[in-house]
Amino acid sequence: MGSANSEPCTPPRKLSMSLSCLTLIMELMASPSNSEYRFMLRPSRVWRLNSRQSDFENVKAIYDWLTTNVRYDKATAYSQDTYLVKEHAYYLEGVFLDHCAVCDGKAKACALLLGMIGIPCYRTTGINGSADHAWNFVQLDGKW
């Protein structure tokens, strides 16, 4: 997925270790006091998704939001330090809290959001050239 801009990512926000990102997303979506997060996370608000749009239009809206609003974390992606796999950039926290992630974080977020609106999607990983990469397969009109 493309990059929102080329600015470096800011340090990740700290979360309680007992609170998973998915639980956090669900709680923030349900809480009227977190309007900033509701805007970022609720598909019907963020991407104006509705049943009158085609699945393709809804997939494109989610893809466009991810590529426009989530910066690619080059520092983490190109680092030789193996401890960085624990960074938010590889997980939903990077996408939804920090707006900065590597391909794996973006692919996980895409799969989650498409699943939330009932579009079949799965994340896969492999080698792209000489580098590790993650991407999504999406089913549209019965075809993958």
Side-chain angles (χ1 to χ4, degrees):
M1 293 189 172
S3 174
N5 60 45
S6 60
E7 295 177 25
C9 296
T10 57
R13 298 180 192 183
K14 299 292 181 198
L15 293 178
S16 165
M17 296 305 265
S18 63
L19 184 64
S20 72
C21 187
L22 185 55
T23 303
L24 175 66
I25 289 170
M26 297 313 230
E27 286 180 3
L28 292 172
M29 285 174 62
S31 172
S33 64
N34 292 302
S35 58
E36 174 190 358
Y37 290 107
R38 287 171 59 85
F39 178 75
M40 291 187 324
L41 301 173
R42 193 171 226 178
S44 61
R45 286 234 173 137
V46 178
W47 304 288
R48 297 180 184 90
L49 303 177
N50 62 58
S51 58
R52 291 181 298 234
Q53 291 184 155
S54 69
D55 282 351
F56 175 81
E57 290 171 311
N58 286 330
V59 169
K60 184 169 180 342
I62 289 173
Y63 174 85
D64 288 346
W65 186 86
L66 287 168
T67 57
T68 301
N69 294 287
V70 182
R71 292 185 312 277
Y72 186 74
D73 190 346
K74 292 178 185 176
T76 299
Y78 300 118
S79 174
Q80 299 301 314
D81 295 326
T82 56
Y83 72 89
L84 287 177
V85 248
K86 297 179 182 175
E87 291 296 316
H88 284 183
Y90 287 89
Y91 303 99
L92 297 173
E93 289 90 345
V95 173
F96 296 114
L97 297 179
D98 305 329
H99 286 222
C100 189
V102 296
C103 57
D104 197 32
K106 288 185 175 193
K108 288 172 182 171
C110 184
L112 170 72
L113 294 168
L114 289 174
M116 288 172 70
I117 61 170
I119 296 176
C121 174
Y122 69 90
R123 173 190 143 272
T124 190
T125 59
I127 305 293
N128 181 14
S130 62
D132 291 337
H133 189 53
W135 62 95
N136 297 97
F137 284 97
V138 178
Q139 187 179 44
L140 288 172
D141 299 323
K143 298 177 186 172
W144 288 96

